[in-house]
Amino acid sequence: MRKFPNIIITGTPGVGKTTTATQLIELAETESASFSEKIPLKHLSINKIAKQHNFYESYDSELQTHVIDEEKLLDHIEDVIADGAGDGGWVIDWHVCDVFPERWVDLVVVLRCEDTQVFYERLTTSKNADGESRGYEGKKLEENVDAEIFGTVAEEAREAWPEQGQVVELKSVQAEDVEENCERIWEWCKQWVKNNAEKQSGEEEGDGGGD
Ligand code: DAT
């Protein structure tokens, strides 16, 4: 059983997944110093992994995007993330969430940018994690703006994790939202670790209690 929770930070490209994952991990590092136990969160950027290992199946020229070979991707990350594969603490950062087995993940955070103007500007002018300009246009821009308006990723997340409370939608319009979201996720992490430790010690006591 994992000691630390696995979290997915998902949402339409441009909602702030990488920004949030990075800040959350920084916060965990700083705050762990004053918390009785360190919670070592680690970033799992699926886009980076797919690029690094060339887990691409094809290229969709209309949407100007690589189609990822999900089987290869899951095979690759299974060793580090699946049940029994270490202590957990992964912060998975990807716009797709419903390909991961339900039991690999403890919390699904769907970031939402409800201000369409702000979102549009992010997709057209902002830079991605590699410092490349996003410069979305045409069908790619239209599809992503529509997906954000209709909450497509949130719907996929709720279908994949139907259990109450596993999926949370958080607003990501301004920089202060990122800060607030990271604080909330961090509080949740601490609580999870505490509950989990209690559960495990309860189970151990239960194991030894029989005659
Ligand atoms: P994603 O990983 O979801 O594709 P990102 O973290 O790369 O998104 O962010 C895209 C751009 O938007 C980047 O320039 C940072 C900015 N941004 C994201 N969320 C933000 C927020 N809540 N407030 C201000 N800027 C934000």
Side-chain angles (χ1 to χ4, degrees):
M1 206 189 199
R2 323 184 245 287
K3 251 170 93 182
F4 310 112
N6 287 337
I7 302 166
I8 293 189
I9 300 192
T10 190
T12 319
V15 282
K17 298 180 291 295
T18 304
T19 311
T20 305
T22 310
Q23 277 198 34
L24 172 65
I25 287 160
E26 278 171 17
L27 181 70
E29 275 169 17
T30 326
E31 293 281 307
S32 280
S34 57
F35 186 51
S36 59
E37 190 187 13
K38 194 169 159 55
I39 306 181
L41 297 182
K42 299 156 288 192
H43 195 173
L44 197 72
S45 163
I46 301 295
N47 281 341
K48 254 195 197 158
I49 292 174
K51 192 172 173 184
Q52 222 170 26
H53 298 275
N54 198 28
F55 289 149
Y56 296 143
E57 204 171 64
S58 57
Y59 186 76
D60 183 332
S61 49
E62 200 177 16
L63 288 179
Q64 300 153 50
T65 190
H66 290 283
V67 179
I68 290 181
D69 185 329
E70 288 169 3
E71 215 173 289
K72 279 192 189 156
L73 171 79
L74 290 182
D75 272 357
H76 178 80
I77 64 170
E78 186 173 11
D79 291 345
V80 290
I81 210 171
D83 277 355
D87 283 345
W90 290 103
V91 180
I92 308 169
D93 160 5
W94 204 24
H95 64 281
V96 181
C97 61
D98 56 359
V99 296
F100 302 104
E102 200 182 334
R103 63 186 185 283
W104 286 11
V105 178
D106 304 293
L107 177 72
V108 182
V109 175
V110 186
L111 298 178
R112 299 297 307 272
C113 182
E114 65 222 19
D115 186 323
T116 307
Q117 187 60 34
V118 167
F119 189 61
Y120 187 93
E121 274 163 28
R122 276 193 211 157
L123 291 185
T124 49
T125 59
S126 77
K127 291 195 171 28
N128 67 15
D130 293 330
E132 297 156 350
S133 177
R134 268 175 210 263
Y136 282 21
E137 54 183 18
K139 189 146 189 238
K140 185 174 188 169
L141 177 61
E142 199 183 306
E143 290 227 343
N144 281 291
V145 170
D146 283 355
E148 187 48 25
I149 292 171
F150 290 116
T152 309
V153 180
E155 202 175 307
E156 287 166 356
R158 280 192 297 267
E159 270 173 32
W161 283 274
E163 203 180 295
Q164 194 73 19
Q166 259 191 310
V167 176
V168 290
E169 282 185 63
L170 299 177
K171 186 173 97 162
S172 175
V173 180
Q174 297 168 328
E176 302 85 77
D177 298 328
V178 179
E179 227 167 280
E180 202 176 300
N181 293 341
C182 290
E183 296 279 353
R184 283 178 67 175
I185 303 169
W186 172 244
E187 286 305 317
W188 178 90
C189 278
K190 287 196 290 188
Q191 195 58 43
W192 189 94
V193 170
K194 196 167 158 251
N195 293 347
N196 192 54
E198 280 170 10
K199 208 163 97 191
Q200 282 200 5
S201 72
E203 276 167 16
E204 275 161 24
E205 273 171 31
D207 286 346
D211 58 3

